[in-house]
């Protein structure tokens, strides 16, 4: 990450490499547990029957960050991939952690400022489908990652996060201060920009940028990217300009595809933008619960489609 812009041609490769390594380790751990007589299953990026984000929170790996559905660790930030093993082996377990990240993310906004497609929220946390979260514009993020013409996918939020530390020991004092000294937290993004953390270090760009072309009857070939490569600096002054202009599309549970949806599900961004009007704030959700009122209708996902629809004769949209 030190030699990368975060959304150049190494981004997808490094992400996949970490996922594959995690799957290998999880598979070996699960096999060892089964050899001891316990049930065990590995859950990787390719084949998983659990949601990683809540499990990472519950086991104390880190806290939920402004980036969105991303867990941030106090020593390596968001710069990791997860693999999980579930088992019935009796084990002592850790609990959730609090190292002050919510307060830091409240004021930092560096990931939102440097996001190439402004998909990360500048605003406060909201209640999205019952969970308190800085909800990103997942559609905008996905579109950029899939159509990034000057790189392979994107991990720029990981690159610029002040907690993305190359040397854990070198930053141990800063992490200790962030945890133990609440007044210090507001200075973290300012100091991070001042030392130039998040810039590209060309000495550590050890790879060559190549693009693979071909397919559909054409021979495969490796070439230098025809549209160049993303090389970005930092923009400390962008926050004020972007804050008021940002619009985020929200796709609530009732807008999701039914469990057995056949084929593609139509997406309507205008509906997603309109859905922002029914969002609850954390304070509103607490008031509703205290009053004993039921959850809003948009928290309820659609039920499975009837059999005649599953057969492919009809496609529905919420």
């Amino acid at each position: 990450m030190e030699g990368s812009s975060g959304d150049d041609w190494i981004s997808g490769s490094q992400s996949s490499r970490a996922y594959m390594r995690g799957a290998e380790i999880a598979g070996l751990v699960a096999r060892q547990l089964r050899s001891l007589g316990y049930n065990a299953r590995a859950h990787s990026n390719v084949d998983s029957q659990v949601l990683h984000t809540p499990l990472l929170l519950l086991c104390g790996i880190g806290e939920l960050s402004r980036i969105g559905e991303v867990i941030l660790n106090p020593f390596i930030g968001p710069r990791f991939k997860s693999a999980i093993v579930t088992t019935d082996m009796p084990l002592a377990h850790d609990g959730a952690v609090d190292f002050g990240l919510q307060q830091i993310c409240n004021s930092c906004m560096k990931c939102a400022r440097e996001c190439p497609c402004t998909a990360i929220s500048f605003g406060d946390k909201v209640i999205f489908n019952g969970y308190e979260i800085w909800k990103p514009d997942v559609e905008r993020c996905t579109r950029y990652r899939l159509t990034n013409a000057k790189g392979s996918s994107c991990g720029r939020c990981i690159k610029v996060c002040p907690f993305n530390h190359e040397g854990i020991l070198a930053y141990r004092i800063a992490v200790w201060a962030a945890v133990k000294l609440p007044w210090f937290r507001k200075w973290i993004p300012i100091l991070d920009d001042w030392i130039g953390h998040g810039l590209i270090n060309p000495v550590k760009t050890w790879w060559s940028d190549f693009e693979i072309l071909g397919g559909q009857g054409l021979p495969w070939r490796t070439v230098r990217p025809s549209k160049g490569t993303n090389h970005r600096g930092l923009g400390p002054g962008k926050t004020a300009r972007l804050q008021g202009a940002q619009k985020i599309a929200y796709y609530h549970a009732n807008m999701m595809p039914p469990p057995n949806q056949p084929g593609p599900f139509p997406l309507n961004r205008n509906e997603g933008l309109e859905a922002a009007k029914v969002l609850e704030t954390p304070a509103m959700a607490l008031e509703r619960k205290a009053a004993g009122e039921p959850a809003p209708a948009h928290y309820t996902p659609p039920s499975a489609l009837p059999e005649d629809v599953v057969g492919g004769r009809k496609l529905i949209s919420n």
Side-chain angles (χ1 to χ4, degrees), residues 15-274:
S15 176
S16 297
R17 183 180 69 88
Y19 275 128
M20 288 190 292
R21 183 64 170 157
E24 177 189 18
I25 294 170
L28 291 172
V29 171
R31 185 174 69 177
Q32 173 65 12
L33 293 176
R34 290 193 296 270
S35 74
L36 297 175
Y38 300 99
N39 293 309
R41 188 193 192 282
H43 304 269
S44 67
N45 185 46
V46 175
D47 183 12
S48 187
Q49 293 184 351
V50 297
L51 293 175
H52 288 220
T53 300
L55 292 184
L56 292 172
L57 276 175
L58 291 171
C59 75
I61 290 293
E63 289 190 61
L64 201 63
S65 66
R66 180 176 286 275
I67 297 173
E69 297 96 339
V70 172
I71 302 301
L72 197 149
N73 179 274
F75 297 106
I76 57 174
R79 200 187 69 230
F80 67 92
K81 300 297 182 186
S82 61
I84 290 171
V85 176
T86 52
T87 180
D88 56 4
M89 181 181 185
L91 293 167
H93 60 84
D94 297 324
V97 297
D98 176 2
F99 59 94
L101 183 67
Q102 304 306 295
Q103 183 179 345
I104 295 168
C105 283
N106 251 334
S107 58
C108 177
M109 301 190 190
K110 191 169 181 177
C111 59
R113 184 190 83 199
E114 299 297 333
C115 176
C117 57
T118 62
I120 299 174
S121 172
F122 283 98
D124 297 327
K125 285 186 284 188
V126 298
I127 303 297
F128 182 79
N129 291 339
Y131 296 90
E132 185 176 337
I133 187 175
W134 280 288
K135 185 62 181 173
D137 193 324
V138 292
E139 180 204 354
R140 185 175 285 167
C141 174
T142 302
R143 286 184 186 276
Y144 179 78
R145 289 162 64 87
L146 294 176
T147 61
N148 180 7
K150 296 187 178 182
S152 170
S153 191
C154 181
R156 182 142 177 84
C157 48
I158 299 172
K159 159 73 179 181
V160 301
C161 176
F163 282 90
N164 167 27
H165 300 155
E166 181 188 29
I168 293 176
L169 294 178
Y171 286 87
R172 185 170 292 277
I173 295 177
V175 172
W176 177 89
V179 174
K180 301 292 185 181
L181 306 174
W183 59 266
F184 177 75
R185 294 169 186 168
K186 67 178 181 180
W187 294 101
I188 289 178
I190 299 171
L191 293 173
D192 203 59
D193 279 336
W194 182 70
I195 65 175
H197 183 250
L199 295 173
I200 298 172
N201 184 347
V203 174
K204 298 188 178 180
T205 306
W206 49 264
W207 61 92
S208 296
D209 293 315
F210 288 114
E211 183 179 8
I212 300 175
L213 302 176
Q216 298 182 342
L218 298 175
W220 293 99
R221 64 192 192 281
T222 302
V223 300
R224 288 200 173 275
S226 57
K227 297 184 179 181
T229 300
N230 287 318
H231 290 289
R232 303 179 187 272
L234 294 173
K238 291 196 301 182
T239 302
R241 176 169 55 86
L242 295 173
Q243 268 182 302
Q246 188 180 40
K247 292 183 179 180
I248 292 182
Y250 296 91
Y251 299 94
H252 299 299
N254 67 329
M255 303 168 69
M256 292 294 101
N260 53 352
Q261 171 73 26
F265 186 77
L267 181 71
N268 188 321
R269 182 167 177 84
N270 288 332
E271 290 181 1
L273 293 171
E274 282 292 309

Side-chain angles (χ1 to χ4, degrees), residues 296-308:
H298 62 270
Y299 284 9
T300 305
S303 57
L305 295 174
E307 286 301 318
D308 64 322

